[in-house]
Amino acid sequence: MADEIVGRGAELAAVEPFLDRAATDLAVLVLEGEAGIGKSTVWSAAAELAGTRGCHVLTSRPARSEQGLTLGGLIDLLGGLDDGSFAGLPAPQREALQVALLRLEPSGPSPDQRTLSVAVAGLLRQLATPERALVLAIDDLQWLDDGSAAILAYAIRRLPGHPVGLLAATRTGAETTASETVLEAAPVERTDRVRLGPLHLASLHRLFELRLGRSFPRLVLVRIEEASGGNPLYALELGRALLASGIPADPHEPLPVPDTLGSLIARRVSALPARTRRAMVLLACSVAPTVASLEAATPGSAASLAPAVGDGLVSIDGDAVRFAHPLFAQGVMTVAGDGEVRAAHAALAAATASPDARARHLAQASNGPDERVARAVADAAAAARLRGATLDAASLYQEAARLTPTDDADAALRRSQLAA
């Protein structure tokens, strides 16, 4: 994969030393930059390289729509492990972690976040061996849920001396409590930060050849470089718009396309059929979307995505459905109206089997206080508490209090007390 990446030789050169350090001790590599600059591309190549070197790679790719999902990042990161991986943990920790990961039903006293944190730290230490280093690869770290971030931070502070690497990609200007919590847990002297900068003219020329099948005259390339600031996603969107409208006859004139990336994406989305746009709104609102979950919410929605797949905005890999880039999801939500977004959340709430996801979709679909919705969110908070997800439970109880009708002050007070 690294051989297909354009203009990122210096960034990729930081991966090998990072993996060398991780082979014997905790090492952290943070890939940072603006949206669309290519962080995920380099992150994917680095994770792939770690796998080819024999590392045990655990990955998580949280999305903005999943940020409120209870322990979603932790489930993503550890979900691929078999039950035997937990066998070495003490029974209370093993059971608490399996409950948190939805592998066991809660029984007995509820585990707390400290128990989960200790369990995850112990698990990661067991997985990291001198023969096989462990690499935790997290893309879009800024969208990690707070509960998972707090647990991972606890574990990271206890991993020096173990062959573990943390490979994270994060968006500058969009830092969250979660991203700061995780990155601040690692010792500064063990952390390398690589900021991805703009692509230059020759790299943009090669990028267009690879992705669009053709490039542009040099003076047009210069205009694209100036307009995009060397941001590869922005440059590609400009290139697509130019090919659709015709290359300008006078390359000294301003480009005959919108001058912001958001406008380009919004225009590209608006050109799709109405049914495709509705299916894309459903996808943008979904938590861990699959073909099956989209079809359950709105029959025919997966087939309606075909034009978006053909246009490179959406990808379908087996049953998994994703936007090709998170900015495309934001572009869809920009074009959609509030009523359309609420309707998508209502359809998803009716279709999901997860009480947690259902409660969050109901809250997003609500247009004001609603006792039915408040009760569902409070129930989800109670379930999160049983799984040891303390931060998530507190957040959900606060949301339940907010959604409680004003004429039921006792219920609102009770839910606020539970949050406290």
Side-chain angles (χ1 to χ4, degrees), residues 39-136:
K39 302 180 298 299
S40 294
T41 301
V42 177
W43 175 88
S44 294
E48 183 179 313
L49 179 58
T52 61
R53 284 189 41 160
C55 298
H56 189 167
V57 182
L58 302 179
T59 61
S60 178
R61 305 191 71 173
R64 190 171 193 169
S65 61
E66 301 167 3
Q67 196 173 14
L69 188 63
T70 301
L71 299 181
L74 195 66
I75 292 173
D76 204 16
L77 197 67
L78 305 180
L81 297 174
D82 58 36
D83 288 339
S85 301
F86 305 91
L89 294 174
Q93 295 179 29
R94 182 174 63 251
E95 292 173 10
L97 191 50
Q98 289 180 320
V99 167
L101 298 178
L102 301 176
R103 297 187 180 204
L104 283 179
E105 288 293 329
S107 62
S110 302
D112 57 21
Q113 191 160 297
R114 178 175 178 273
T115 304
L116 281 182
S117 300
V118 172
V120 170
L123 175 65
L124 298 183
R125 285 195 295 264
Q126 289 182 14
L127 293 174
T129 65
E131 298 75 28
R132 192 183 189 195
L134 175 67
V135 173
L136 308 174

Side-chain angles (χ1 to χ4, degrees), residues 185-209:
V188 175
E189 67 274 13
R190 300 179 188 272
T191 303
D192 283 344
R193 291 178 177 265
V194 175
R195 182 179 289 268
L196 278 72
L199 293 184
H200 299 298
L201 204 64
S203 295
L204 290 176
H205 167 71
R206 181 60 180 152
L207 182 68
F208 289 139
E209 289 183 331

Side-chain angles (χ1 to χ4, degrees), residues 21-407:
R21 295 193 306 276
T24 58
D25 204 344
L26 177 65
V28 180
L29 178 62
V30 184
L31 306 170
E32 52 189 8
E34 64 184 41
I37 202 68
K39 302 180 298 299
S40 294
T41 301
V42 177
W43 175 88
S44 294
E48 183 179 313
L49 179 58
T52 61
R53 284 189 41 160
C55 298
H56 189 167
V57 182
L58 302 179
T59 61
S60 178
R61 305 191 71 173
R64 190 171 193 169
S65 61
E66 301 167 3
Q67 196 173 14
L69 188 63
T70 301
L71 299 181
L74 195 66
I75 292 173
D76 204 16
L77 197 67
L78 305 180
L81 297 174
D82 58 36
D83 288 339
S85 301
F86 305 91
L89 294 174
Q93 295 179 29
R94 182 174 63 251
E95 292 173 10
L97 191 50
Q98 289 180 320
V99 167
L101 298 178
L102 301 176
R103 297 187 180 204
L104 283 179
E105 288 293 329
S107 62
S110 302
D112 57 21
Q113 191 160 297
R114 178 175 178 273
T115 304
L116 281 182
S117 300
V118 172
V120 170
L123 175 65
L124 298 183
R125 285 195 295 264
Q126 289 182 14
L127 293 174
T129 65
E131 298 75 28
R132 192 183 189 195
L134 175 67
V135 173
L136 308 174
I138 306 175
D139 192 16
D140 280 320
L141 182 64
Q142 71 276 359
W143 304 137
L144 191 66
D145 61 281
D146 289 339
S148 296
I151 292 168
L152 283 173
Y154 179 97
I156 289 167
R157 283 192 289 270
R158 286 151 182 83
L159 289 176
H162 297 269
V164 179
L166 172 63
L167 171 66
T170 188
R171 185 186 300 180
T172 53
E175 292 83 358
T176 61
T177 301
S179 59
E180 292 174 355
T181 296
V182 172
L183 295 181
E184 289 174 0
V188 175
E189 67 274 13
R190 300 179 188 272
T191 303
D192 283 344
R193 291 178 177 265
V194 175
R195 182 179 289 268
L196 278 72
L199 293 184
H200 299 298
L201 204 64
S203 295
L204 290 176
H205 167 71
R206 181 60 180 152
L207 182 68
F208 289 139
E209 289 183 331
L210 287 174
R211 299 291 295 276
L212 302 182
R214 59 158 298 175
S215 188
F216 301 92
R218 180 177 176 81
L219 289 178
V220 176
L221 280 173
V222 171
R223 297 292 296 147
I224 293 175
E225 182 187 32
E226 291 175 350
S228 67
N231 182 300
L233 180 64
Y234 192 176
L236 281 170
E237 292 302 310
L238 284 170
R240 286 191 177 94
L242 283 174
L243 291 177
S245 63
I247 299 173
D250 184 355
H252 297 285
E253 291 297 317
L255 295 175
V257 292
D259 60 358
T260 68
L261 177 56
S263 298
L264 281 168
I265 294 173
R267 191 171 81 168
R268 190 172 164 196
V269 170
S270 297
L272 294 169
R275 68 180 187 282
T276 301
R277 295 198 304 272
R278 288 193 294 271
M280 291 173 77
V281 172
L282 194 71
L283 174 60
C285 294
S286 295
V287 173
T290 62
V291 171
S293 67
L294 295 177
E295 284 294 312
T298 305
S301 57
S304 298
L305 287 172
V309 174
D311 199 33
L313 292 166
V314 171
S315 65
I316 299 179
D317 183 10
D319 194 42
V321 189
R322 293 179 65 94
F323 282 98
H325 193 280
L327 288 180
F328 295 154
Q330 291 178 230
V332 168
M333 298 299 274
T334 299
V335 173
D338 291 343
E340 191 174 5
V341 172
R342 286 197 297 272
H345 279 294
L348 290 163
T352 184
S354 164
D356 182 26
R358 177 176 176 272
R360 295 181 190 276
H361 284 309
L362 284 173
Q364 293 291 325
S366 176
N367 199 20
D370 184 314
E371 177 55 27
R372 181 180 67 92
V373 176
R375 191 181 306 115
V377 174
D379 289 344
R385 190 176 185 180
L386 285 174
R387 291 171 57 198
T390 310
L391 291 176
D392 294 304
S395 175
L396 284 165
Y397 276 128
Q398 287 178 330
E399 182 71 358
R402 185 187 67 82
L403 289 167
T404 303
T406 55
D407 60 359

